[in-house]
Structure formats: C-alpha cells, structure tokens
Amino acid sequence: SLKGRVVILDFWTYCCINCLHVLPDLNYLEQEYKDSLTVIGIHSAKFDNEKDTENIRQAILRYNVEHPVVVDVNGNLWQQYAVRAWPTLVVIDPEGYVIRDVAGEGNRTVLDQLIGELIQKHQQKGTMTMEPLRFTLEKQRHPLTNPLAFPGKVLADEFSDRLFIADSGHHRIVVSTLAGEVLNIIGTGEPGLTDGTFAEAQFFTPQGITLDPKNQRLYVADTQNHCLRCIHLETKQVETIAGTGEQSRQIQPHSGLGLQTALNSPWDIEKIDNRLLIAMAGSHQIWEMQLETGEIGTYTGTGAEACLDGSLNEAAFAQPSGITSDGRELYVADSEVSSIRGVGLINNLPVRTICGSGELFEFGDRDGQKSEVRLQHCLGVEYTQNYLWVADTYNHKIKRVDPTTGSCQTLLGNGQAGHRDGQSHEAEFAEPSGVSAIAARLYIADTNNHAIRCVDLGTLEVTTLNLSGY
C-alpha cells in the first residue's frame, strides 16, 4: 500500500536527545512533501522502560509526533534493516527499494535533496502516486485535558511561598503558591520564541528553572528553542539572554557572547553566585554563563558521549539532564549512563562518578554503594540537608544518595508506573523527571502523570498537589 510513495523509516528511541533533534527535520519534510512522502517511526528501545507501549504512546504525545510509529519491541526491524545507531533514517523509493540510510542528526538538507530527486525520477517513470495519506493521530485519540502537560521540572521557594513549574507540554511556566493556588501563567501555551510580557511570551518545551531571589529573576532552560530565558518576576517581562534559536552543531568546547552563541538542548540550569551552570544535554557537556559579562561557554565535557572522570578538561558526560549544587560541587543526573556525577566548582576539584556503573547501556534498579548501584535514565537531582534526592525516571522511583559515600537507597515508589498516593513504597509515579526540596517537603515533577507530587520529608507521605485558580 506504500508503493508509489517515498518512505522514510525513522529508527528512534524516546530517551535519545539525538533522536529528538531529528523530529523537527522530519516534520519539515512531511510538510514539504505531504503528497508524496510517508514517514514511519520505528521505535527500537534502548532502556527496558522504553519497551512499554503505553510509555511510547506518552512519548509520542509529549514530542508531538505526527506520523505512525511501529513498536519494534524485540528489535526485529532493527536487525532486519541492519541498523547500528540511534537515530537511523532509511529511505525507500516508490518501487519499494531501500536506496539510502543515514545515521545521526543534521541530515535535513541531504534528505530534502534526495526526496526531490526521487519524486522527479519516479514521476517521469510513472511510478509515483501524488496524494496525501490520512492518519488518526494519538493526540486526536488522547487529547490532553489536564491543567499540566508533561511537567519536566519544578522549583520550590519557601521564603516567597512560591512554586515554579515547567509545564513543558504546554510550553509555559506556571507559578503557584506552595499549596497550589495559581498566581501567574507565563507564556501563551503555543510553542515559539517570543520575548515580551507574560501574556505575549512563548517558549518551546521549557525544562530546568532556577531562581535569583534577590533580583526576582527566574532563569529558564528553554530546551527546544536551544535558548536561555530570563523572566523578570517584578516587571512581568521575558527576555532571551543566550542562544540564537538554532541548534548548535559544534560539540568541541568553545565560548562566546550569550546572544551570539548557538546552544544545544539546555535541559537544566542552576544559579551559583553570579553565574549560571547549564546541563547542555545535546552536546553532553556542562556549560557556564557569566551574568555580569554575558559570556557563555563550555565548563566541562569534551563533547564525547561517555562517562569519563578526571579534570574539567578530560571529563565526558552522556546527556546530562539534571543539576544541583552544595556550592562546592555541581551534582549531575547523567541520564544515558544512569549515574550521578560530581563536578568540582572550587579548588580544581575533579569530575567524579558518585554512584552508578558509569557505562553506556548499563542500567537497572539496585540500591547499594557507588559502582554497584543501578539506576535507569535518571533525569532529576536535588541537594538538601547533606543528601541528594534523585528522580530515577525510568524506574518510577525517588532515591536518596549520600554524595560523600555514594550509597543509594530507594525511599519513594514501588517501581510500577502508576499514580497512587500513600506512604513511601506504597506510592506510584510515572517517569518523574524533576525534584525540588524545602525544609519539610519535597516536590516532584511527575511527568507522565501530568502532576506535581508533594512529599512530607518527616513521614514520607506522598500526596498530589491540587492546582487551583486557573
């Protein structure tokens, strides 16, 4: 039934930042050649959690995938097409022959040219069918009606009684009281890159947020815009402070002025003194921005996707997605190696692996000490009262890590994806991605439940925050 059309098979997995970078290219090509091109996603999982059909459905909704997706649960299609890397795009001509495959990201121009040539060739041969195919999309079957959509990160500020929520799926920031009464909604709710008032501003899947309480500024990692944004809470204005709006292809360490330097999927952000530290997931690095001068650049990470300890110049990371600090070290949820890392901020402290195997594709669910610990694609981390609270995302758990000894203990969640309040291991989460602590409570961005969960740190009782006043 696909004869007469150009077909692209997109071998992807939803944890992979490179796979996510390909989606805008595919969307462009689908719009450009809607009468002659069919894109089919082949979801071939990297982590165990990504083999679950419902989790894949949630990812399709989260990333607004608008083409059919095959669940390649056992990797059969991956093997049949001899795929070796995420992402890989396989091009099939209108007569059903595989004619090209390209691995990695950044291939839009090559594909655009190839598709144009195929259409011209097969129109001349009379083997081209020019009519659009219609599909019922997941977002049409399962429209999101929750107040939040896939919240990625959350930030609690006890002194001002405010909660800042990255409402990532709605492309906006929600500000509420700690009890859940909504105070402000920042952003139109439509994806875009627009500065201005709270009502005018646009974001594109914002993730990490950090607060400057003295100057009443909220800094945002605007992930799919590849930008950093500053929200002036007193004047209710949003401005872009770094990034060009285009994804950087430069992974070698470099620096430049904020608004002249392209970024690569900043995923989390932390203000320390007068600088911002940034988890630059797309280039597998930690970046730094000096707020006084506006200069931004690589702080550590060679750009290789790996887990290498050592000096700031030697170290390597694998899609760092969550950061927090005690002022002495920056603690990193290094998602693709399912490990917690420590990055020195003073006295030339080296980069170290605190817990986890530190190996790509080595993951699991095991408490213990240092390298015997197994996590599964951890995305969030928060330092408070001498401990790290870790959102062990694909295990649907919250764990506590001692950064001194490297010991890790599961404190919340039973490992099943679900939405259930209750005591400690009775509670259930669904891919929690962000954590933030105040003295007595922990707030969790429970991403696939479209909810913020609240934990009493004295009793470990988990409740769901009721947002009101929309």
Side-chain angles (χ1 to χ4, degrees):
S1 63
L2 292 171
K3 285 286 185 70
R5 303 181 64 77
V6 178
V7 177
I8 292 179
L9 304 183
D10 171 29
F11 286 85
W12 71 300
T13 185
Y14 73 81
C15 73
C16 168
I17 192 71
N18 309 96
C19 298
L20 301 184
H21 288 161
V22 167
L23 292 177
D25 291 345
L26 294 176
N27 184 60
Y28 166 83
L29 294 170
E30 288 175 282
Q31 296 302 314
E32 188 75 8
Y33 301 104
K34 62 180 64 175
D35 294 337
S36 51
L37 171 68
T38 298
V39 175
I40 301 173
I42 312 294
H43 191 277
S44 305
K46 183 183 298 188
F47 291 92
D48 287 345
N49 183 66
E50 295 175 312
K51 296 177 180 178
D52 183 272
T53 299
E54 184 54 37
N55 293 342
I56 298 168
R57 189 191 315 282
Q58 293 297 316
I60 288 166
L61 292 168
R62 186 188 317 179
Y63 298 116
N64 197 30
V65 175
E66 295 193 332
H67 51 249
V69 174
V70 175
V71 179
D72 187 23
V73 67
N74 295 314
N76 292 333
L77 287 169
W78 174 279
Q79 293 173 4
Q80 288 171 19
Y81 282 85
V83 175
R84 295 288 178 267
W86 291 278
T88 293
L89 301 175
V90 176
V91 182
I92 301 172
D93 76 7
E95 292 182 290
Y97 292 99
V98 173
I99 59 162
R100 180 85 183 262
D101 64 74
V102 291
E105 55 180 277
N107 293 302
R108 179 197 289 191
T109 302
V110 171
L111 291 168
D112 197 359
Q113 181 178 346
L114 178 59
I115 293 166
E117 291 171 355
L118 283 172
I119 291 170
Q120 185 176 14
K121 173 184 174 181
H122 286 274
Q123 280 179 326
Q124 291 172 353
K125 286 181 67 175
T127 50
M128 192 83 217
T129 302
M130 301 292 287
E131 61 181 55
L133 291 181
R134 307 288 182 192
F135 302 103
T136 303
L137 301 177
E138 285 297 319
K139 65 183 179 181
Q140 294 167 329
R141 290 195 184 102
H142 305 278
L144 294 175
T145 57
N146 306 67
L148 301 176
F150 301 105
K153 303 291 183 185
V154 62
L155 174 65
D157 181 44
E158 189 166 18
F159 299 104
S160 66
D161 184 37
R162 284 182 299 186
L163 198 65
F164 303 93
I165 304 164
D167 189 8
S168 308
H170 285 144
H171 312 289
R172 63 187 185 181
I173 306 296
V174 174
V175 186
S176 76
T177 65
L178 294 176
E181 181 185 350
V182 173
L183 304 172
N184 291 112
I185 294 176
I186 308 171
T188 66
E190 294 296 323
L193 178 53
T194 304
D195 290 342
T197 66
F198 284 7
E200 297 168 338
Q202 290 183 305
F203 303 86
F204 196 174
T205 321
Q207 292 284 346
I209 41 184
T210 188
L211 180 66
D212 175 357
K214 179 180 176 183
N215 294 308
Q216 285 299 292
R217 292 174 181 169
L218 190 73
Y219 296 97
V220 180
D222 195 4
T223 304
Q224 279 194 254
N225 275 327
H226 309 289
C227 286
L228 303 183
R229 315 291 291 280
C230 177
I231 298 172
H232 299 267
L233 295 168
E234 289 182 337
T235 61
K236 297 189 176 183
Q237 293 284 324
V238 178
E239 68 168 328
T240 302
I241 60 170
T244 64
E246 299 293 328
Q247 181 195 345
S248 172
R249 301 292 181 191
Q250 165 70 286
I251 63 169
Q252 298 299 323
H254 63 287
S255 63
L257 289 176
L259 292 173
Q260 297 173 14
T261 305
L263 310 181
N264 195 338
S265 291
W267 208 278
D268 203 4
I269 189 168
E270 181 84 357
K271 184 178 183 294
I272 302 172
D273 299 324
N274 206 30
R275 57 181 174 162
L276 299 175
L277 276 297
I278 305 119
M280 201 68 73
S283 58
H284 313 294
Q285 294 166 328
I286 304 299
W287 277 45
E288 175 186 44
M289 182 173 184
Q290 300 292 342
L291 290 171
E292 285 185 359
T293 64
E295 187 170 1
I296 192 169
T298 312
Y299 182 74
T300 181
T302 62
E305 185 177 11
C307 181
L308 295 176
D309 292 340
S311 71
L312 296 181
N313 293 330
E314 299 169 329
F317 301 84
Q319 206 171 305
S321 302
I323 53 176
T324 186
S325 180
D326 61 0
R328 177 181 171 85
E329 278 185 291
L330 188 75
Y331 300 107
V332 181
D334 209 10
S335 65
E336 289 287 85
V337 288
S338 300
S339 299
I340 302 300
R341 316 284 299 282
V343 176
L345 296 174
I346 60 172
N347 301 331
N348 295 316
L349 288 172
V351 175
R352 64 189 180 110
T353 300
I354 295 167
C355 68
S357 73
E359 298 291 333
L360 282 166
F361 316 125
E362 185 74 31
F363 59 89
D365 186 3
R366 185 196 305 159
D367 292 350
Q369 305 282 328
K370 297 184 177 179
S371 61
E372 68 186 26
V373 171
R374 290 294 179 270
L375 307 170
Q376 190 179 179
H377 198 71
C378 45
L379 289 178
V381 61
E382 170 78 334
Y383 177 83
T384 184
Q385 300 176 2
N386 300 318
Y387 285 101
L388 299 172
W389 291 84
V390 176
D392 191 6
T393 306
Y394 283 4
N395 283 325
H396 315 290
K397 290 182 175 182
I398 305 297
K399 299 182 178 181
R400 193 178 71 176
V401 172
D402 185 329
T404 304
T405 66
S407 67
C408 174
Q409 179 185 8
T410 299
L411 290 187
L412 302 166
N414 60 20
Q416 297 297 313
H419 189 171
R420 185 167 70 176
D421 291 341
Q423 202 85 20
S424 187
H425 300 300
E426 297 174 356
E428 291 181 347
F429 306 90
E431 295 193 11
S433 301
V435 281
S436 182
I438 56 176
R441 292 193 295 281
L442 186 75
Y443 290 89
I444 301 165
D446 195 9
T447 304
N448 280 7
N449 278 326
H450 315 294
I452 302 298
R453 314 292 290 281
C454 183
V455 183
D456 184 314
L457 290 177
T459 65
L460 295 184
E461 180 81 17
V462 179
T463 55
T464 300
L465 186 72
N466 180 31
L467 285 171
S468 61
Y470 269 94

